[in-house]
Amino acid sequence: MNKVILMGRLTRDPEVRYSQGENATAIARYTLAVDRRFNRNNDDQTADFITCVAFGKSGEFAERYLHKGTKIAVTGRIQTGSYTNKDGVKVYTTEVVVEDQEFAESKNASGGNDGGYNNNYSNGGYAGGNAPAASGAGDGFMNIPDGIDEELPFN
């Protein structure tokens, strides 16, 4: 069985290309920085950088919604390959072919630390600062004004 599950942050915006032909297919490539649970041999590297490739609708999703710093969960399969570069040296590759990808945190959770990019998500996804007021506890829920309890479908 060839199945991999990763959770990490994009190191940069996905690189998206489209295949040639009548039915052009999106091909998105991105690198995930996946934190290591523990450090071996006092190694300074605390993350692994894993190349992922998404095809079709998954590639289009990546192009539209994924950006540098976004934390996502990916499931897929490992694929290896090789090619000979322009210097005649054989280069071996390993990448994850994405079968499913989804956001691993809310827009609000990444709002305070946007990973070094600006995409109007820093205010909970509300551009222009029109975000609804959160309750005083900072739990991400809106306060419901008094007197509308009877309008709610769940009492």
Side-chain angles (χ1 to χ4, degrees):
M1 178 184 298
N2 183 356
K3 189 76 161 182
V4 63
I5 302 170
L6 302 170
M7 185 178 300
R9 294 189 184 277
L10 273 73
T11 60
R12 62 179 184 268
D13 290 350
E15 178 184 311
V16 182
R17 296 182 180 168
Y18 286 84
S19 65
Q20 300 293 319
E22 188 175 316
N23 295 325
T25 301
I27 304 166
R29 289 187 178 278
Y30 53 85
T31 301
L32 280 184
V34 179
D35 289 333
R36 292 182 176 174
R37 286 188 178 243
F38 53 87
N39 194 350
R40 291 187 180 172
N41 301 331
N42 296 325
D43 189 8
D44 289 337
Q45 185 175 350
T46 60
D48 291 299
F49 299 91
I50 301 168
T51 302
C52 300
V53 60
F55 296 95
K57 295 288 185 190
S58 292
E60 292 171 12
F61 177 88
E63 179 179 35
R64 188 172 207 173
Y65 297 109
L66 302 183
H67 304 283
K68 178 180 178 181
T70 305
K71 187 174 187 179
I72 63 170
V74 170
T75 58
R77 60 185 170 82
I78 294 177
Q79 180 172 287
T80 60
S82 64
Y83 64 93
T84 303
N85 69 12
K86 62 183 176 185
D87 298 326
V89 177
K90 193 164 193 173
V91 177
Y92 295 92
T93 62
T94 302
E95 59 192 9
V96 172
V97 177
V98 175
E99 294 170 356
D100 187 35
Q101 57 195 352
E102 56 188 69
F103 295 105
E105 68 183 357
S106 69
K107 291 177 186 176
N108 284 340
S110 63
N113 179 13
D114 64 1
Y117 68 101
N118 181 8
N119 64 1
N120 291 332
Y121 294 141
S122 61
N123 199 9
Y126 294 91
N130 295 326
S135 67
D139 56 10
F141 291 98
M142 290 176 43
N143 284 328
I144 298 176
D146 293 333
I148 65 165
D149 292 339
E150 56 278 347
E151 297 177 24
L152 298 176
F154 47 88
N155 281 346

